[in-house]
Structures are given as structure tokens and as C-alpha cells.
């Protein structure tokens, strides 16, 4: 393995504890002695403080090091807030969540490969014969490690109700959702299986194998699985434990018990989750990878070539690049920040953990946060991860400005189902309106009093909040904030009260509380209104209604509105669904648009202003580097959940179809790990409905019968039968055909049980609703939309900014 000069690790965690207080630590060093600019490195203080002030995290531990030494260490904020406040300390132990996958499970798999007990090309059916069914026997170990095995993301939690043995039997019988090797789909199930492989071939449970072969040799004394009911691990003072959230509503706080419910059901030890560690232990592990598998204490756990294999993405396509357990370049790569290069790799975890490594530069950053505490509704550490990585990289002053030689990244093939696969030149360097405004030196705002309509999605490409950027901008006076549905931080699924922004002290006027529109009084002390929110491209997603009402308010108050534009997350080409009937004008249907409109907010503002004859003074600061064919994963921008249940681009793409059904008596995945990807109800028999949906041949889509138990909405706590929606080919997928097909099959199979009345609110088209009730075919229903969609395209064309 060629010598690497710098190594970055970003670790962001939230969780729990184990192990004795004493553990191996890397030595400390003066930043300048290892090539850091101390003043630049010190900017990390501000990033941590801002994340805590904004309530993104309750507390954090941050370590930064280089060349085998720690150069920055800080514990800030609180480890716990209930039942009493506890200060964060450097030796806090955290629940690693999915960092278990690379640190424990993938490393253990590599040890078995080095011993000749396993090969990357070995078939699952040979290693675990009980899985040799439904096509799973052909899955290779490499495909499991790279999340390309064709497995579902996670299996139903109800499968664990009868104990571990019964759960494993059910897991062994699951179906594939796509051919192995076809594409990357992140899967906890795949690593559950890999943990089983370690147990079978290693001759002992995963926790014992990893402790004996990885953690004990490296002196990582606080890194262990916490097996439930096993008190053999050394006692840890309770004040060192970072709690997550109650196990259930009204239940005991999870503290020292794994947060992941499937790992918990398996006793706290599983291949996908269950590991606990400290920041200092993670630094030791990171340095071990940097040094080719030899720990700082001189003990070797892996060969240099095994480490090289782990971090090599092989021939995985662009935006699906995964090593053997590690993320290299996917939509989940936010912890890279903006400056670390293409050789960097890492991983994230649900509790708030992330580990990122940049072998090109030999630096490590460990960030541990209390994200989920105390109620599971904490903020997102995504911005902190990205900002800390960027600041750490920016502080390195002795690195070569020339990029390293890296093998060409293979492009995705159209057969793998991505709509962008045939566009090899897509640059992944989109800049949003706020980035362009910064480059302009804030010219339109100088000397002005500014009010900003925004939420947590208003941020620069580098992860800085638009609020903070404008608050610090020279000769710009930010005087007021307005927040849309879900609030200024995007965390509320109810009416939102007025508030005060903790970071700036500015008043926040809610536009989803007592009023939906700024009043003349609200705008008395304002010269210019700015609008910066990320939308997802569906008519009933209310940010576009807030835009229209703000535009009206600007006209009424004789103010200028500047829209800082952002990409349409689901692309700007496709237009689909019925246009809204005038009788259904409402906050979820502000203008006569189709369900999928294919426009950015800047383009919609132009359309509203002219077509509704608002006549406001309107400017749009357009994005650069974005074209209509680009989905969000072709922008290079960090995904930030636009609302609490919009957690991925997949869910955003499905939402225009499944969202139509939300107002009926169905559970649409809210209160599960995958909102909008599963639909059901207690009265649905999943297998016949899945069979009917698959027989309908919805292009690019398959349906898997499942049971699930949501924690929100009308069926909270109830066992629902339904389907898991699996998109097999994004180039052919149409969310509106999906939604209408689901409605038509429900009407045919469950005419008494399914209550379709709420469908009319979101369809906002009486003819389509009546066609569904009458049992018309999907083709006939969708065919009715063609004339009005063609007319809409002609109108839309006048207001488009991008090509």
C-alpha cells in the first residue's frame, strides 16, 4: 500500500456507554508542528457553538489530529438534560449505530479473508446454506459489503417479536427486491447477515470476535458491544453514559442499551448496529487504518493490502461508490465536507455518528454529539459534520495543491436504473442562489433592512446557515425571520408558534401558525424580503404555497422579494398528474398546477407573479451548475431533510404518488424508518395486494408484501399489512402512475374498508377522483390529463430559467 500522508476522520455520534475509563490515547501535539494553521483550526469552536445554540445537538466532543497526534480537543455542551443536566466530557461513550458496520463487522470480515476462511467472491448460499432461497444464494460477500446485494433496507420489526431464533428464520426466507449487483441500496439487512457470517466462520459471536481480534489488540478499552443482560463488561460510571431517548412512549431512557430496535431485539449484538466507543478509541482505530493496519501501539490487526481493499470502491458507479463497508461517494457522503478529495471515505450512523477518513491528507477529526436526547426529535448533525470536515481541511497548510492521481470513476450504466446514468458529464457542482449572492458580495442587499423567509434547508453549499451568513454580511441588516410549515429548524409536525432564533436573537414570525402570510405590520421595518427554502417538487408540499403568499405580501407592502433559487430535488423535466380544479384552491393547492410541476421556486415565483397578476417587485438569483435533467443527487449538495419525514431523495421521488393517499385511512410510512416507501392498514392482507400491484406492471417498480407498525398518525401502534415500494428502474418510474395504481387496486379489493374521500383534497381534481370510484383503468384515468398537461407546459415554458 503506498504511503499516505494525511488522514481525516469525522466522527459524529450520539448514544451510550461501556468499558473502563482508562484507554489508549494518541499523543497531543501543537497544531503548527504537524502542518495546521492554529487560527484556522480554532474556527471549529464556532461551528460547535453554533450547532449547540441552534439546538442541532445538545453537546459535542471534537478531536482533530494529524500525523498520529491530536491537535484539537474539546468537549462542549451537555451529555444529558434529563433527569438532570450533565456536562459533556471527552471520555463519554456513544452508541455508534451504523458505524458498527465498517469498524466491527467489515473489519472482522477482512480478518476472515486474510485467514483464508472466506473470499469476497464466495456465495452466500455456500457460507450460510439457510439463506440459499429466493435467489439469495447467489449473493456474494463483496455485494453484501458494498450494499449491492439486492436486499431490502431493513426487515419488519415485527419479525423479532418471537425472539432471536424466530427472527433469523424469517430473515433467511426474505425475498430479493432486485438482482444482486444491480445497484447500491443501503441495507441493514445485508450487514445483519455479515454479522452472522462472522459468527459462523469465526467460531464465536461477533462481539467476542471483534473484541479479541480488533479492540483489545489496539487498546480500545472503551469499545465494545453491550450485550443485554450481560454484566461481564467492566462497570462504567453512569455519568459517562450519553443517553439517547426512551425505549417507548413513557418508557425508560435508553442509556447503555443499543438504540437500534433490531439489534436490541437480538440482545444488543448485530452486524449493523450495537457497538459503543469513545472519540479517543475511534482516533486509535483511524490511525490504525492510516498506518496500513498497524495500531499506534505496534500491534497489527490487518495487512496493508487488506486496508487498501477495504477503502477501494472498485468499479462501483459514480454516486454509488462504496468500499468494503465504507462510503466513498454517495448521497450519504456529507461528512467529507467540501475540501477533502476523492480518495476519502467514511460512514455515518443514525444516532448522529460519522467517521470520515482522507488518506491523501493524513488528518483525523472526531465529532461526537448527543443528537437524539432526550425525546428522539433532536436536530440533525449533518451540517456540523460537513462544517467541521471543511474547517479541518482548510486548516491544513502544507498539503499539495495538486490533486492526487485517482483512477477514473466508472459511470453508472442506464441498465442500473438511474435517470442520470447516461449523462457522464454532469458536474456535481451546483451552487444555489445563496452561494451566488455571497459571490456577488451581497450587492442587492447592501444598506438594506432584510427579512428572510427560510428554514434549516436554507444553507450554502459548504453547510453554513443562510441566517448566519446574512447576519454577518457586511452592510446588510438582517432584522427578522419568517418560518414555513415545520418551523425554522424543520422539526415540527404541527402548528408552529412565533419564536426567537437562539443563534441571532432575531424574532421568528411563523407562517404556519396564527397566519400563513406576512402582515403589513410585519413588513413595516423591512426593505427587502428574501426567500431561501428547499422544495421537493410536489404541488401539495406547502413551501410553494408559502412562496405565493409571501409574494402577495411583498406586493401589498410595496417591498421587493428576492428568491434565492434552489434545484427542484426531483428534477425539472417531468410534469405529471391532474391540474388543480379551481374549487380546490387551498394552502395545499395554491395555484392551478399539476401534482408534479417540474419547476424551481424561482421559476414558480415568476409564474405566480405573472399568471396570478400579483405584480410584485421580484428578482430571482438563479442557481449555477444545474440543469433540468438533474435530480438532487447530481448536484453535489448535502441532502438535508426538508421536513421531518422527507428523509431521502428516494422518498421525495415517491412522494407525489404516495402523498396523494395520505388523507385517506392508510398508513403511508410516517412513524417508520422509511416514510412513503411503505403503505398499508390493519385491514389489508399484504400478499394479495402486493400480487395485484405487481400484476399491474407499474414500470420500474416492484411491491413486497410486509407488515409494519407505525408510531405516528391514525394507526400508531397498530400492526398494518401492506407493501414496501421498491423502485427498480428510475428511468421508467412515474410516481403518479404508482399512486393511481395503488388507488385503483385499493378501490377494487377493499371497496368497504378503504375510505377514499380524503383523496379528493390532494388530487384536487374531481374528474380523476370520480374515475377512480367508477373503477376505470389506470391508463384511462391518466389519459384524461394529457390535454391540460400540454397546455400547462406551454404556459410553464415562459417562466423557465434553466435548460
Amino acid at each position: 500500500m503506498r504511503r499516505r500522508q494525511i488522514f481525516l476522520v469525522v466522527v459524529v455520534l450520539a448514544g451510550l456507554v461501556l468499558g473502563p475509563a482508562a484507554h489508549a490515547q494518541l499523543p497531543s501535539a501543537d497544531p503548527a508542528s504537524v502542518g495546521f494553521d492554529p487560527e484556522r483550526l480554532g474556527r471549529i469552536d464556532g461551528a460547535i457553538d453554533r450547532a449547540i445554540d441552534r439546538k442541532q445537538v445538545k453537546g459535542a466532543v471534537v478531536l482533530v489530529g494529524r500525523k498520529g497526534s491530536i491537535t484539537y480537543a474539546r468537549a462542549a455542551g451537555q451529555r444529558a438534560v434529563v433527569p438532570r443536566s450533565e456536562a459533556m466530557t471527552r471520555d463519554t461513550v456513544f452508541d455508534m449505530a451504523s458505524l458498527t458496520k465498517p469498524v466491527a463487522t467489515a473489519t472482522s470480515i477482512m480478518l476472515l479473508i486474510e485467514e483464508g476462511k472466506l473470499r469476497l467472491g464466495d456465495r452466500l448460499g455456500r457460507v450460510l446454506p439457510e439463506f440459499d432461497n429466493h435467489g439469495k444464494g447467489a449473493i456474494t460477500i463483496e455485494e453484501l459489503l458494498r450494499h449491492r446485494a439486492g436486499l431490502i433496507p431493513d426487515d419488519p420489526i415485527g419479525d423479532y417479536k418471537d425472539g432471536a431464533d424466530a427472527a433469523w428464520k424469517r430473515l433467511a426466507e426474505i425475498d430479493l427486491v432486485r438482482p444482486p449487483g444491480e445497484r447500491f441500496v443501503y441495507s441493514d439487512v445485508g450487514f445483519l447477515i455479515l454479522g452472522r457470517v462472522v459468527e459462523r466462520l469465526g467460531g464465536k459471536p461477533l462481539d467476542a470476535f471483534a473484541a479479541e481480534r480488533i479492540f483489545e489488540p489496539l487498546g480500545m478499552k472503551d469499545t465494545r458491544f453491550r450485550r443485554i443482560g450481560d454484566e461481564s463488561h467492566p462497570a462504567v460510571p453512569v455519568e459517562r453514559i450519553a443517553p439517547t431517548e426512551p425505549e417507548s412512549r413513557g418508557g425508560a431512557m435508553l442509556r447503555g442499551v443499543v438504540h437500534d430496535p433490531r439489534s436490541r431485539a437480538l440482545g444488543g449484538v448485530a452486524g449493523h448496529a450495537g457497538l459503543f466507543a469513545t472519540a479517543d478509541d475511534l482516533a486509535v482505530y483511524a490511525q490504525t487504518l492510516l498506518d496500513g493496519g498497524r495500531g499506534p501501539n505496534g500491534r497489527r490487526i490487518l495487512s496493508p493490502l487488506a486496508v487498501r481493499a477495504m477503502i477501494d470502491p472498485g468499479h462501483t458507479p459514480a454516486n454509488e461508490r462504496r468500499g468494503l463497508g465504507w462510503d466513498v461517494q454517495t448521497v450519504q457522503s456529507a461528512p467529507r465536507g467540501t475540501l477533502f478529495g476523492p480518495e476519502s471515505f467514511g460512514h455515518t450512523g443514525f444516532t448522529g455518528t460519522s467517521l470520515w477518513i482522507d488518506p491523501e491528507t493524513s488528518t483525523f477529526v472526531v465529532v461526537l454529539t448527543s443528537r437524539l436526547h432526550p425525546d428522539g426529535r433532536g436536530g440533525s448533525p449533518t451540517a456540523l459534520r460537513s462544517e467541521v470536515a471543511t474547517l479541518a481541511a482548510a486548516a491544513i497548510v502544507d498539503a499539495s495543491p495538486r490533486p492526487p492521481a485517482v483512477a477514473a470513476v466508472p459511470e453508472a450504466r442506464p441498465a442500473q436504473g438511474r435517470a442520470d446514468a447516461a449523462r457522464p458529464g454532469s458536474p456535481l457542482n451546483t451552487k444555489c442562489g445563496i452561494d451566488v449572492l455571497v459571490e456577488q458580495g451581497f450587492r442587492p442587499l447592501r444598506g438594506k433592512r432584510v427579512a428572510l423567509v427560510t428554514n434549516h434547508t436554507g444553507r450554502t453549499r459548504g453547510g453554513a446557515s443562510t441566517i448566519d451568513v446574512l447576519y454577518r454580511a457586511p452592510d446588510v441588516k438582517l432584522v427578522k425571520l419568517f418560518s414555513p410549515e415545520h418551523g425554522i429548524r424543520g422539526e415540527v409536525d404541527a402548528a408552529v408558534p412565533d419564536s426567537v432564533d437562539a443563534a441571532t436573537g432575531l424574532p421568528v414570525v411563523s407562517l404556519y401558525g396564527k397566519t400563513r402570510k406576512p402582515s403589513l405590520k410585519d413588513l413595516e421595518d423591512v426593505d427587502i424580503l428574501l426567500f431561501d427554502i428547499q422544495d421537493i417538487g410536489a404541488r401539495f408540499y406547502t413551501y410553494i404555497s408559502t412562496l405565493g403568499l409571501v409574494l402577495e405580501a411583498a406586493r401589498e407592502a410595496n417591498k421587493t422579494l428576492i428568491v434565492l433559487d434552489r434545484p427542484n430535488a426531483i428534477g425539472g423535466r417531468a410534469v405529471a398528474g391532474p391540474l388543480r380544479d379551481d374549487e380546490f384552491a387551498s394552502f395545499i393547492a395554491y395555484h392551478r398546477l399539476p401534482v408534479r410541476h417540474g419547476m424551481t421556486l424561482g421559476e414558480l415565483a415568476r409564474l405566480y407573479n405573472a399568471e396570478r397578476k400579483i405584480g410584485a417587485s421580484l428578482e430571482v438569483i438563479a442557481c449555477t451548475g444545474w440543469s433540468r435533467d438533474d435530480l438532487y443527487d447530481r448536484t453535489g449538495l448535502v441532502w438535508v431533510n426538508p421536513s421531518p419525514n422527507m428523509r431521502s431523495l428516494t422518498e421525495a421521488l415517491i412522494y407525489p404518488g404516495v402523498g396523494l393517499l395520505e388523507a385517506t385511512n392508510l398508513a403511508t410510512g410516517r412513524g417508520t424508518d422509511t416514510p412513503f416507501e411503505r403503505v398499508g392498514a390493519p385491514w389489508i392482507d399484504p400478499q394479495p395486494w402486493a400480487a395485484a400491484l405487481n400484476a399491474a406492471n407499474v414500470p420500474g417498480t416492484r411491491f413486497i408484501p410486509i407488515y409494519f407498525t407505525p408510531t405516528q398518525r391514525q394507526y400508531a401502534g397498530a400492526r398494518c399489512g401492506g407493501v414496501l415500494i421498491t423502485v427498480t428502474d428510475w428511468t421508467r418510474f412515474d410516481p403518479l402512475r404508482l399512486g393511481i395504481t395503488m388507488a385503483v387496486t385499493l378501490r377494487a379489493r377493499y371497496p368497504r374498508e378503504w375510505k377514499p374521500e380524503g383523496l379528493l383534497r390532494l388530487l384536487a381534481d374531481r374528474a380523476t377522483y370520480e374515475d377512480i370510484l367508477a373503477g376505470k383503468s389506470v391508463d384511462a384515468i391518466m389519459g384524461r390529463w394529457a390535454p391540460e398537461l400540454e397546455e400547462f407546459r406551454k404556459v410553464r415554458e415562459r417562466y423557465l430559467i434553466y435548460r
Side-chain angles (χ1 to χ4, degrees):
M1 176 176 176
R2 75 175 173 83
R3 218 38 212 167
R4 314 263 183 160
Q5 291 304 309
I6 301 183
F7 170 30
L8 166 72
V9 182
V10 179
V11 186
V12 182
L13 314 97
L16 317 145
V17 116
L18 67 64
H23 54 73
Q25 286 189 203
L26 296 177
S28 298
D30 179 78
S33 70
V34 291
F36 276 125
D37 180 317
E39 186 276 328
R40 286 172 171 255
L41 194 64
R43 295 172 185 170
I44 293 173
D45 282 346
I48 298 168
D49 292 341
R50 287 190 294 273
I52 294 172
D53 290 344
R54 295 170 186 162
K55 298 182 171 49
Q56 293 171 345
V57 297
K58 292 292 188 298
V61 179
V62 177
L63 306 182
V64 179
R66 196 172 182 215
K67 299 179 180 178
S69 299
I70 292 172
T71 57
Y72 176 102
R74 185 184 178 202
Q78 296 169 295
R79 174 167 52 205
V81 297
V82 295
R84 63 183 181 279
S85 176
E86 300 173 20
M88 184 67 76
T89 60
R90 177 170 166 173
D91 64 352
T92 300
V93 181
F94 290 78
D95 181 343
M96 302 293 289
S98 284
L99 266 174
T100 302
K101 293 179 174 75
V103 175
T105 306
T107 306
S108 296
I109 289 289
M110 297 307 296
L111 285 164
L112 293 172
I113 289 172
E114 285 196 327
E115 293 172 359
K117 295 179 178 178
L118 189 65
R119 295 173 300 179
L120 287 174
D122 281 346
R123 306 287 178 174
L124 180 59
R126 183 190 74 81
V127 182
L128 299 178
E130 64 270 30
F131 282 83
D132 194 4
N133 56 66
H134 305 301
K136 297 194 301 296
I139 296 171
T140 67
I141 297 301
E142 181 176 0
E143 286 165 345
L144 288 167
L145 287 165
R146 297 194 196 276
H147 295 273
R148 305 185 71 85
L151 296 166
I152 56 176
D154 54 58
D155 52 334
I157 190 62
D159 286 357
Y160 295 78
K161 62 183 175 57
D162 298 322
D165 290 342
W168 278 112
K169 289 179 180 177
R170 293 188 180 105
L171 192 64
E173 292 295 325
I174 62 172
D175 288 319
L176 290 175
V177 294
R178 61 187 54 81
E182 183 179 82
R183 71 183 181 96
F184 161 66
V185 175
Y186 186 83
S187 174
D188 282 355
V189 168
F191 270 78
L192 273 163
I193 294 170
L194 285 169
R196 195 73 155 178
V197 170
V198 173
E199 180 178 330
R200 189 73 54 86
L201 299 185
K204 58 188 65 177
L206 174 62
D207 58 338
F209 186 94
E212 179 182 311
R213 301 295 303 278
I214 305 168
F215 310 135
E216 290 171 6
L218 294 179
M220 298 167 64
K221 298 186 182 301
D222 283 338
T223 302
R224 292 290 187 278
F225 289 86
R226 293 183 63 85
R227 187 176 286 276
I228 295 171
D230 179 8
E231 302 301 326
S232 63
H233 54 76
V236 174
V238 67
E239 61 270 15
R240 286 188 61 202
I241 300 174
T244 51
E245 62 173 319
E247 183 173 3
S248 59
R249 187 176 298 177
M253 181 68 67
L254 290 171
R255 192 165 196 177
V257 178
V258 62
H259 178 269
D260 183 88
R262 292 166 182 81
S263 179
R264 199 160 64 240
L266 294 173
V269 179
H272 71 296
L275 191 66
F276 292 78
T278 61
D280 279 294
D281 276 6
L282 287 167
V284 168
Y285 176 85
Q287 190 65 43
T288 299
L289 292 189
L290 170 66
D291 290 336
R294 184 169 62 184
N297 60 4
R299 297 281 299 276
R300 178 172 295 282
I301 61 166
L302 288 173
S303 68
L305 293 183
V307 174
R308 185 177 69 183
M310 285 188 81
I311 66 179
D312 181 3
H315 296 290
T316 52
N319 294 324
E320 297 184 4
R321 293 176 64 70
R322 300 282 304 197
L324 303 178
W326 293 103
D327 178 12
V328 178
Q329 184 195 35
T330 70
V331 295
Q332 299 162 333
S333 302
R336 170 187 278 117
T338 58
L339 298 179
F340 286 102
E343 288 191 345
S344 64
F345 62 97
H347 213 280
T348 62
F350 180 74
T351 53
T353 67
S354 74
L355 168 65
W356 203 262
I357 302 167
D358 182 17
E360 178 202 344
T361 54
S362 188
T363 305
F364 68 77
V365 180
V366 183
V367 185
L368 307 90
T369 77
S370 298
R371 180 179 88 84
L372 293 173
H373 187 65
D375 56 9
R377 296 185 303 212
S380 169
T382 301
L384 180 62
R385 292 168 176 164
S386 181
E387 188 171 5
V388 169
T390 299
L391 292 172
I396 299 169
V397 293
D398 65 351
S400 170
R402 293 190 300 184
V406 180
V409 177
E411 291 298 327
R413 298 184 299 276
Q416 290 174 307
R418 287 294 296 114
D420 51 25
R423 296 184 296 105
S426 193
L428 296 173
N429 63 356
T430 299
K431 293 180 181 179
C432 297
I434 179 61
D435 301 299
V436 177
L437 179 67
V438 172
E439 290 176 352
Q440 293 174 348
F442 306 98
R443 271 198 313 274
L445 309 183
R446 287 191 173 272
K448 305 294 185 182
R449 299 169 299 170
V450 176
L452 174 64
V453 186
T454 193
N455 62 8
H456 61 300
T457 66
R459 45 184 283 150
T460 66
R461 182 177 173 85
S465 163
T466 299
I467 297 172
D468 294 341
V469 170
L470 294 175
Y471 190 71
R472 298 190 179 102
D475 200 24
V476 176
K477 187 173 184 181
L478 185 61
V479 297
K480 188 172 296 182
L481 304 173
F482 292 94
S483 66
E485 183 179 4
H486 307 298
I488 200 77
R489 300 299 173 197
E491 300 165 350
V492 182
D493 247 341
V496 180
D498 294 346
S499 61
V500 174
D501 181 58
T504 62
L506 293 173
V508 181
V509 178
S510 172
L511 300 180
Y512 197 75
K514 295 178 181 178
T515 184
R516 303 282 168 93
K517 180 178 177 180
S519 67
L520 290 174
K521 184 173 178 59
D522 289 331
L523 301 179
E524 280 179 347
D525 57 348
V526 171
D527 299 315
I528 289 180
L529 270 165
L530 252 65
F531 196 101
D532 188 18
I533 296 175
Q534 178 63 55
D535 184 52
I536 60 96
R539 182 185 64 209
F540 38 77
Y541 207 64
T542 63
Y543 298 158
I544 67 172
S545 299
T546 297
L547 171 66
L549 293 171
V550 168
L551 189 63
E552 292 177 12
R555 174 65 184 90
E556 292 162 5
N558 198 28
K559 311 293 183 182
T560 295
L561 173 64
I562 300 177
V563 177
L564 302 177
D565 212 7
R566 292 183 173 271
N568 185 317
I570 62 173
R573 194 70 68 190
V575 174
L579 270 68
R580 185 214 72 187
D581 289 344
D582 289 343
E583 65 176 297
F584 296 109
S586 71
F587 190 61
I588 56 173
Y590 173 78
H591 187 70
R592 183 169 161 76
L593 299 172
V595 174
R596 186 176 184 180
H597 50 74
M599 301 180 76
T600 69
L601 289 183
E603 292 171 334
L604 280 171
R606 285 156 53 97
L607 182 147
Y608 290 165
N609 206 31
E611 296 298 316
R612 297 178 70 88
K613 297 179 171 54
I614 294 173
S617 173
L618 172 67
E619 298 177 27
V620 177
I621 298 182
C623 306
T624 63
W626 184 76
S627 71
R628 308 209 75 79
D629 291 317
D630 289 336
L631 307 187
Y632 200 86
D633 64 343
R634 298 303 301 179
T635 65
L637 299 169
V638 172
W639 177 268
V640 178
N641 297 344
S643 55
N645 283 285
M646 196 63 64
R647 301 175 189 170
S648 70
L649 177 58
T650 294
E651 288 159 10
L653 284 158
I654 290 173
Y655 181 70
V658 171
L660 289 172
L661 306 173
E662 280 212 277
T664 73
N665 58 332
L666 292 170
T668 55
R670 292 180 186 266
T672 73
D673 293 338
T674 50
F676 313 118
E677 296 182 50
R678 55 186 74 193
V679 178
W683 38 267
I684 289 177
D685 185 342
Q687 289 174 312
W689 191 35
L693 287 167
N694 284 321
N697 293 317
V698 180
T701 314
R702 296 293 292 171
F703 302 88
I704 302 168
I706 59 169
Y707 286 99
F708 63 98
T709 304
T711 61
Q712 295 179 11
R713 305 265 174 134
Q714 58 189 321
Y715 296 130
R719 187 170 186 252
C720 296
V723 294
L724 178 70
I725 301 163
T726 302
V727 179
T728 59
D729 187 346
W730 288 110
T731 64
R732 301 171 63 222
F733 175 70
D734 178 353
L736 272 300
R737 182 169 287 273
L738 165 71
I740 297 300
T741 301
M742 297 184 92
V744 166
T745 54
L746 285 165
R747 179 66 174 173
R749 300 194 66 84
Y750 299 101
R752 294 186 186 87
E753 294 89 347
W754 185 48
K755 309 301 181 187
E757 293 79 11
L759 181 66
L760 187 55
R761 286 183 55 228
L762 294 168
L763 272 174
D765 180 74
R766 190 169 296 280
T768 298
Y769 177 70
E770 291 175 352
D771 283 352
I772 292 170
L773 296 189
K776 291 191 177 181
S777 71
V778 174
D779 286 339
I781 293 169
M782 296 181 68
R784 181 193 286 274
W785 307 336
E788 62 183 12
L789 284 175
E790 182 59 31
E791 187 60 32
F792 173 74
R793 289 189 183 94
K794 293 176 182 176
V795 172
R796 184 183 86 135
E797 183 68 25
R798 298 197 287 268
Y799 307 106
L800 298 184
I801 299 170
Y802 313 93
R803 300 300 168 190

